[in-house]
């Protein structure tokens, strides 16, 4: 029986009838090996993918850092360009539209142009252009209304500051009064204004600055100033809401601009200024210099002795009351030295070159404007008691009140001289560039005059023309008379040394561009970057693709 059982068992084994328990053990081991191999493979793949993602992140971060540094390089480019004199800037193509300097600046290595970083400097003037075109250049900050000068204008012309603010689109009387209370130094609220007591009563943790805001966005703290009115389309950016919305519930209309209106941030500034130097960047002669000897020497070198004597006599004795008959010329009229070439080496002075004034007499009068000198006369005092009954001599301004003489000589006089002692002139409005709402804010400019300025400035020559730089084309083109020009003189200019630009940096091998808005103040030496705002990234411009 046992032999039979063994024989049967062997026959079953020979036919492959292996017990199931033995076969399962062998298959399980293979499966475990496969799972382990798969897990190791997946772990390796995961590690490789992690390294690849990390590599891409590092490269992306490096590209972003490179673009950020490219924007900083753009700021340095602006500072270097704006540090030049106005003449040198114009010779290099100017600031308004200068593609040679500001368009498609390649910052990459010469042997790696495909991966080069491209920089563009764009003017914010045409950010809302209907066709989407942008020109390479800078925006002159003097085309805006300087908040810091409003209080000074108010001191000279009461009511002019609020009138200027009310020219802005969507500005209400309550918002204008609150802004002026934020700016002025007193604690007395204006009618419809808001001082510290108002903000304290609303539980707000701040009070008016009583000075110029640190940044323009600070106006969001002012009562009745809405974000849409101040920033326009930029109101959608991620900027913290600094204003108490419950406090401005009564000013919804002032907080929303209608379609097509310009936001206040486009026409207001706290930065506009210009150097008090000549077109060539040289110091000007201060007509109100207390040192008359220095004044006389400077005028003699820049013009001639007749100019020096007349200005010094004006400072000493003031203008003659009424009209004084100018003597007729006995011979050919000697041209004014406002446009004469430099003299050669001088020998002994002729009688005409002898000084006719006593430089030891101290000054008693100040000159408000170079226009005060045109066609004027000064009566000199008697030299001795015996001469008191004799007709006293008079000195006449070498620049007569003649249209052609004014056109030929007044621009150079305005460029070489000044009546201010400060090195920087702040807040004058550039009438060649300012929009209508800003022109209407200038004291003495009404709607009729603003429209005449806008209609006439298309005929103005280039910014390199001295008449254009000093706004004198208003007089020469008959837009205003000399009396009106004299009143406008302290508030207007045709120049400016603070510039705003939009920087855009992109890589040729990338799809996005980084952007920033910057303001460079070149009224001081060296120029300073006074404002920087990072803008949302956008698609790489077509011109850089």
């Amino acid at each position: 029986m046992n032999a039979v059982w063994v024989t049967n068992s062997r026959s079953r084994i020979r036919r492959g009838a292996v017990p199931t328990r033995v076969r399962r053990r062998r298959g399980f081991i293979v499966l475990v090996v496969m799972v382990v191999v798969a897990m190791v493979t997946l772990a390796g793949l995961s590690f490789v993918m992690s390294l690849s993602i990390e590599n891409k992140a590092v490269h992306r971060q490096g590209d972003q850092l490179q673009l950020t540094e490219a924007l900083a390089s753009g700021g340095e480019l602006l500072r270097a360009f704006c540090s030049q004199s106005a003449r040198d800037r114009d010779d290099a193509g100017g600031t308004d539209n200068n593609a040679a300097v500001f368009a498609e600046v390649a910052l990459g290595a010469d042997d790696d142009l495909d991966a080069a970083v491209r920089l563009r400097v764009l003017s914010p003037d045409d950010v809302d252009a209907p066709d989407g075109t942008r020109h390479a250049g800078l925006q002159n900050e003097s085309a805006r209304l300087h908040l810091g000068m409003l209080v000074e204008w108010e001191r000279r012309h009461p009511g002019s500051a609020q009138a200027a603010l009310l020219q802005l689109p969507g500005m209400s009387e309550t918002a204008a009064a609150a802004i002026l209370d934020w700016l002025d130094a007193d604690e007395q609220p204006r009618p419809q204004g808001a001082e510290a007591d108002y903000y304290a009563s609303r539980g707000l943790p701040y009070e008016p600055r009583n000075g110029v805001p640190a940044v323009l966005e600070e106006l969001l703290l002012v009562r009745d100033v809405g974000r849409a009115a101040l920033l326009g389309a930029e109101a959608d950016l991620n900027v913290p809401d600094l204003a108490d919305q419950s406090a401005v519930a009564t000013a919804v209309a002032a907080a929303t601009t209608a379609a097509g209106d310009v936001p206040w941030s486009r026409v207001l500034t706290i930065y506009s200024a210009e150097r008090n130097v000549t077109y060539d960047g040289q110091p000007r002669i201060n007509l109100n210099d207390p040192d008359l000897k220095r004044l006389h020497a400077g005028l003699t070198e820049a013009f001639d002795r007749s100019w020096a004597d007349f200005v010094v006599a004006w400072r000493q004795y003031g203008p003659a009351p009424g009209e004084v008959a100018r003597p007729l010329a006995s011979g050919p009229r000697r041209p004014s030295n406002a446009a004469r070439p430099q003299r050669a080496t001088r020998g002994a002075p002729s009688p005409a070159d002898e000084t006719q004034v006593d430089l030891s007499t101290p000054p008693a009068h100040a000159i408000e404007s170079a226009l005060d000198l045109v066609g004027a006369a000064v009566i000199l005092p008697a030299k001795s008691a015996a001469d008191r009954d004799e007709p006293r001599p008079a000195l006449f301004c070498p620049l007569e009140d003649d249209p052609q003489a004014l056109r030929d000589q007044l621009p150079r006089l305005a460029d070489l001289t000044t009546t201010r002692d400060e090195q920087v002139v702040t807040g004058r409005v550039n009438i060649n560039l300012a929009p209508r709402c800003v022109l209407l804010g200038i004291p003495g400019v009404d709607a009729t005059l603003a429209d005449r300025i806008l209609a006439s400035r298309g005929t103005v020559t280039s910014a390199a023309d001295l008449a254009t730089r000093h706004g004198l084309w208003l007089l020469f083109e008959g837009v205003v008379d000399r009396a009106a020009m004299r009143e406008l003189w302290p508030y207007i200019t045709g120049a400016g040394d603070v510039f705003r630009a939009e920087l855009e940096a992109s890589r040729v091998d990338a799809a996005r561009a980084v952007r920033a808005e910057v303001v460079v103040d070149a009224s001081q030496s060296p120029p300073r970057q006074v404002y920087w705002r990072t803008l949302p990234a956008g698609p790489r411009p077509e011109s850089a693709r």
Side-chain angles (χ1 to χ4, degrees), residues 17-191:
V18 181
T20 302
R21 182 164 53 88
V22 176
R23 291 170 52 192
R24 285 180 180 176
R25 286 180 179 177
R26 294 178 180 177
F28 179 76
I29 294 174
V30 174
L31 180 62
V32 170
V33 171
M34 292 176 61
V35 170
V36 171
V37 171
M39 292 180 63
V40 171
T41 303
L42 290 175
L45 179 62
S46 176
F47 180 71
V48 172
M49 292 180 64
S50 176
L51 288 181
S52 176
I53 294 174
E54 186 69 21
N55 181 61
K56 291 180 180 180
V58 170
H59 279 81
R60 183 178 294 274
Q61 185 178 9
D63 292 344
Q64 183 69 25
L65 180 61
Q66 187 179 38
L67 293 178
T68 301
E69 293 301 317
L71 290 183
S73 298
E76 292 300 318
L77 171 63
L78 295 188
R79 292 177 57 188
F81 185 84
C82 296
S83 65
Q84 305 175 93
S85 68
R87 180 184 294 277
D88 291 338
R89 291 199 298 255
D90 289 338
D91 290 344
T95 59
D96 181 50
N97 192 353
N98 191 346
V101 175
F102 299 122
E104 298 301 322
V105 181
L107 301 181
D110 294 338
D111 57 351
D112 190 19
L113 294 180
D114 291 338
V117 175
R118 303 298 176 92
L119 174 70
R120 297 200 306 169
V121 181
L122 306 174
S123 172
D125 279 331
D126 49 9
V127 67
D128 295 324
D131 56 358
T133 58
R134 306 289 301 276
H135 69 271
L138 314 179
Q139 183 188 63
N140 194 325
E141 202 73 358
S142 293
R144 302 182 177 209
L145 190 65
H146 195 294
L147 284 176
M149 295 306 297
L150 291 180
V151 176
E152 174 63 20
W153 291 4
E154 182 81 3
R155 185 185 65 81
R156 295 184 183 183
H157 304 279
S160 62
Q162 185 157 357
L165 288 177
L166 289 175
Q167 302 301 327
L168 305 186
M171 179 67 71
S172 66
E173 293 187 1
T174 56
I179 291 174
L180 292 176
D181 278 336
W182 190 274
L183 298 174
D184 61 28
D186 61 58
E187 298 291 341
Q188 182 66 31
R190 300 165 183 266

Side-chain angles (χ1 to χ4, degrees), residues 451-483:
D451 291 336
R452 292 186 65 187
I453 292 174
L454 292 173
S456 301
R457 70 184 183 187
T459 63
V460 175
T461 57
S462 67
D465 184 74
L466 294 182
T468 304
R469 285 189 54 78
H470 296 282
L472 290 171
W473 64 268
L474 293 179
L475 178 62
F476 301 153
E477 298 297 327
V479 179
V480 297
D481 57 21
R482 187 152 61 90

Side-chain angles (χ1 to χ4, degrees), residues 166-416:
L166 289 175
Q167 302 301 327
L168 305 186
M171 179 67 71
S172 66
E173 293 187 1
T174 56
I179 291 174
L180 292 176
D181 278 336
W182 190 274
L183 298 174
D184 61 28
D186 61 58
E187 298 291 341
Q188 182 66 31
R190 300 165 183 266
Q192 300 182 316
E195 282 288 358
D197 293 344
Y198 169 83
Y199 299 98
S201 67
R202 298 307 191 272
L204 299 175
Y206 58 84
E207 59 184 21
R209 178 177 290 273
N210 292 336
V212 182
V215 291
L216 201 59
E217 288 81 357
E218 185 181 310
L219 292 182
L220 292 173
L221 296 169
V222 180
R223 188 206 65 189
D224 290 0
V225 175
R227 181 177 296 168
L230 181 64
L231 302 177
E234 299 174 3
D236 295 332
L237 299 179
N238 186 21
V239 180
D241 190 356
L242 301 178
D244 181 10
Q245 293 303 316
S246 64
V248 298
T250 59
V252 176
T256 306
T257 56
D261 282 346
V262 178
W264 303 342
S265 61
R266 300 276 182 84
V267 292
L268 295 177
T269 184
I270 58 175
Y271 305 116
S272 63
E274 55 190 297
R275 308 169 191 158
N276 196 7
V277 296
T278 68
Y279 183 46
D280 294 321
Q282 301 301 315
R284 286 176 171 149
I285 302 170
N286 183 8
L287 297 177
N288 291 320
D289 191 337
D291 188 340
L292 293 185
K293 292 183 179 179
R294 179 172 57 195
L295 173 61
H296 192 275
L299 289 171
T300 301
E301 181 180 358
F303 299 96
D304 62 13
R305 186 63 60 87
S306 61
W307 267 106
D309 287 350
F310 175 76
V311 172
V312 169
W314 172 289
R315 295 287 313 285
Q316 293 171 331
Y317 310 113
E323 291 189 13
V324 179
R326 183 183 292 263
L328 298 176
S330 58
R333 182 177 175 182
R334 182 183 179 184
S336 170
N337 215 35
R340 68 176 176 89
Q342 294 293 328
R343 292 180 178 174
T345 304
R346 300 181 55 180
S350 65
D353 289 331
E354 294 179 358
T355 301
Q356 304 180 56
V357 293
D358 182 5
L359 297 179
S360 64
T361 302
H365 300 268
I367 300 173
E368 294 186 9
S369 165
L371 292 170
D372 294 343
L373 307 177
V374 177
V378 177
I379 303 298
L380 299 178
K383 294 183 179 180
S384 63
D387 297 332
R388 288 179 180 175
D389 295 333
E390 299 293 331
R392 289 186 290 173
L395 289 179
F396 295 89
C397 180
L399 179 54
E400 299 182 25
D401 190 4
D402 175 76
Q404 189 58 45
L406 291 176
R407 189 180 293 270
D408 292 341
Q409 302 172 30
L410 186 57
R412 185 170 184 268
L413 176 65
D415 190 57
L416 295 182

